[in-house]
């Protein structure tokens, strides 16, 4: 086994460990670490949630005295700053006495980027950066995007027919996709910081927007995304399912100054957060909403809206990833509810092109994903 092959093997293990924190670490990144001495793993760990020990610390603690002279593999540059709830990792790495550190990717956080590597090298450690970097960046793409833009990474998800319809002309959409797809969507929600719909979806479908488990998807998952409704005039019915379970799944209504004060007061009395944002053509400003969510530490957002919300998000260039669950059905007709509302472009050159497209089957449904 060559040195590079060996490093890649242990970094792959660290990445698998890091992925165990998916859905729980936000707004922190997912990180995994492995300590290897003389070809044997003597310690490993992954970051679970904010406020808990970082992956490097757990791996070194489990390695104990065997960490001295060992190699530390970690998926993200170790931190060295103090503006957080846990101690910096670099001093602990130095105290442990490892001889070499292999890092998959630099931390895009300006408080860390390059500083952790520099501190380790100044102390005389041999540091390698870039092993499985692409895989590490893909794992933490929401965190990286949030750090770079200050906005959450946005995934537009929809269940549609093969001819691109969200619902029939009457609005019926349950259920276009199969049971296995619906189960996967609930898992997807559980990994997101927030999920967004428009007022029309609330009135027509009355979704709960919770992440659920169990045979019949009847149990609430331990972690719930923040549920967000775009409602410029606060017309959300007080008995809407999206307002239920506030003790376990919080809801935010994004509205405008046009919302009646009395209605706002009623919502707030029920424990619903009402966020007033600027209006654009009478609707909630989506860029302003994303900026505010980013400021609050929301790093990932799942858009499950109707055609008009989808169109507004895409037109505003606010979508980063598309995930379509396509059922083997054809609806046809001019008046069915399409995936993207609004006016169609006159030329194919104006079509939205997806990059890095992948397809897979989930039951009888075809899933198509791609980046924008």
């Amino acid at each position: 086994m060559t040195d590079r092959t060996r490093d890649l093997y242990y970094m792959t293990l660290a990445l698998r460990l890091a992925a165990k924190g998916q859905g729980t670490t936000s707004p922190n990144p997912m990180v995994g670490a492995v300590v290897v001495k003389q070809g044997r793993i003597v310690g490993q760990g992954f970051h679970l949630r904010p406020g808990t020990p970082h992956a490097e610390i757990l791996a070194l603690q489990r390695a104990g005295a065997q960490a001295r002279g060992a190699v530390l593999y970690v998926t993200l540059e170790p931190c060295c700053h103090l503006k957080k709830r846990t101690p910096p990792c670099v001093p602990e790495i130095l105290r442990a006495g490892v001889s070499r550190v292999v890092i998959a990717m630099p931390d895009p956080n300006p408080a860390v980027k390059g500083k952790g590597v520099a501190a380790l090298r100044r102390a005389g450690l041999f540091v390698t950066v870039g092993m499985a970097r692409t895989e590490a960046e893909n794992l933490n793409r929401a965190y990286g995007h949030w750090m770079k833009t200050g906005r959450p990474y946005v995934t537009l998800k929809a269940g549609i027919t093969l001819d691109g319809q969200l619902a029939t002309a009457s609005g019926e959409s349950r259920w276009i996709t199969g049971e296995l797809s619906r189960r996967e969507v609930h898992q997807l929600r559980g990994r997101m910081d927030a999920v967004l719909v428009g007022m029309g979806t609330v009135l027509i479908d009355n979704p709960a927007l919770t992440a659920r488990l169990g045979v019949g998807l009847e149990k609430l998952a331990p972690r719930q995304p923040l549920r967000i409704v775009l409602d410029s005039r606060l017309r959300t019915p007080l008995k809407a399912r999206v307002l239920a379970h506030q003790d376990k799944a919080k809801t935010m209504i994004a509205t405008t100054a046009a919302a009646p004060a009395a209605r706002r007061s009623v919502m707030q009395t029920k424990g619903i957060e009402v966020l007033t944002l600027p209006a654009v053509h009478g609707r909630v400003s989506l860029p302003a909403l994303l900026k505010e969510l980013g400021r609050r530490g929301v790093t990932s957002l799942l858009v499950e809206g109707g055609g008009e919300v989808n169109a507004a998000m895409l037109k505003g260039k606010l979508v980063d990833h598309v995930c379509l669950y396509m059922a083997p059905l054809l609806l046809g007709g001019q008046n069915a509810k399409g995936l993207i509302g609004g006016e169609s472009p006159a030329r194919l050159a104006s079509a939205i092109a997806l990059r890095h497209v992948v397809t897979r089957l989930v039951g009888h449904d075809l899933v198509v994903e791609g980046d924008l």
Side-chain angles (χ1 to χ4, degrees):
M1 182 183 293
T2 66
D3 290 348
R4 177 174 175 78
T5 302
R6 179 196 60 222
D7 286 349
L8 183 58
Y9 172 79
Y10 290 122
M11 187 60 77
T12 300
L13 292 180
L15 285 166
R16 289 176 183 170
L17 285 168
K20 291 184 177 183
Q22 194 166 49
T24 63
T25 63
S26 182
N28 290 354
M30 291 171 273
V31 184
V34 175
V35 182
V36 178
K37 188 167 187 179
Q38 297 177 347
R40 187 169 64 91
I41 296 174
V42 295
Q44 57 186 352
F46 68 94
H47 185 48
L48 181 61
R49 64 175 60 90
T52 62
H54 287 190
E56 307 95 308
I57 303 303
L58 289 173
L60 291 170
Q61 286 176 346
R62 287 164 184 164
Q66 296 182 88
R68 187 158 299 278
V71 180
L72 170 66
Y73 295 86
V74 61
T75 59
L76 186 75
E77 178 181 9
C79 60
C80 54
H81 64 105
L82 300 172
K83 294 181 179 180
K84 55 192 181 67
R85 284 179 278 184
T86 54
C89 293
V90 167
E92 295 302 318
I93 294 172
L94 298 178
R95 271 193 284 271
V98 301
S99 61
R100 180 169 173 246
V101 181
V102 181
I103 300 166
M105 63 174 283
D107 192 332
N109 184 345
V112 181
K113 191 174 183 179
K115 299 182 179 68
V117 170
L120 292 171
R121 285 175 173 163
R122 279 197 304 271
L125 273 68
F126 183 68
V127 182
T128 301
V129 181
M131 178 60 61
R133 178 169 180 165
T134 299
E135 292 81 357
E137 289 176 340
N138 285 338
L139 181 66
N140 277 309
R141 57 185 175 179
Y143 171 75
H145 181 272
W146 176 59
M147 278 292 166
K148 181 179 178 180
T149 68
R151 302 191 308 267
Y153 184 88
V154 176
T155 298
L156 189 154
K157 186 281 302 178
I160 60 175
T161 61
L162 283 180
D163 54 341
Q165 309 299 341
L166 288 170
T168 65
S170 66
E172 182 184 356
S173 62
R174 293 186 177 181
W175 296 103
I176 285 178
T177 55
E179 181 180 347
L180 291 178
S181 290
R182 295 197 294 276
R183 288 180 181 276
E184 186 170 291
V185 167
H186 279 277
Q187 294 171 359
L188 179 61
R189 279 185 193 163
R191 297 195 297 267
M192 294 287 172
D193 290 343
V195 57
L196 171 75
V197 297
M199 186 66 242
T201 297
V202 172
L203 294 177
I204 296 172
D205 294 340
N206 192 24
L209 296 183
T210 49
R212 299 189 296 278
L213 307 170
V215 177
L217 296 174
E218 71 282 357
K219 301 177 183 177
L220 287 176
R223 180 181 184 272
Q224 293 292 325
L226 171 66
R227 300 175 290 178
I228 305 172
V229 179
L230 298 171
D231 184 0
S232 59
R233 294 182 177 273
L234 285 185
R235 294 182 296 143
T236 301
L238 295 178
K239 293 185 178 180
R241 295 175 68 207
V242 74
L243 301 185
H245 304 296
Q246 287 301 306
D247 57 329
K248 297 178 180 178
K250 295 298 183 183
T251 303
M252 171 196 290
I253 307 291
T255 191
T256 68
R263 187 73 172 172
R264 188 189 311 271
S265 178
V266 170
M267 291 283 188
Q268 292 171 335
T269 299
K270 288 184 168 289
I272 312 299
E273 180 181 5
V274 179
L275 176 65
T276 303
L277 294 166
V280 178
H281 304 301
R283 297 183 177 182
V284 174
S285 168
L286 294 173
L289 173 61
L290 295 189
K291 182 178 180 181
E292 175 60 20
L293 292 177
R295 189 188 68 80
R296 296 179 179 214
V298 173
T299 66
S300 57
L301 173 68
L302 184 65
V303 175
E304 296 194 55
E308 295 307 313
V309 169
N310 293 343
M313 292 292 295
L314 290 165
K315 184 178 180 181
K317 301 186 184 302
L318 301 174
V319 177
D320 303 295
H321 188 76
V322 172
C323 183
L324 302 178
Y325 290 81
M326 304 176 68
L329 301 172
L330 297 171
L331 267 179
Q334 298 283 341
N335 53 353
K337 310 296 183 183
L339 171 65
I340 304 172
E343 295 292 325
S344 177
R347 301 180 61 83
L348 280 174
S350 300
I352 299 169
L354 299 184
R355 300 175 294 109
H356 311 135
V357 175
V358 295
T359 61
R360 54 191 171 87
L361 285 175
V362 176
H364 295 297
D365 299 331
L366 174 66
V367 183
V368 179
E369 296 190 63
D371 299 326
L372 293 178

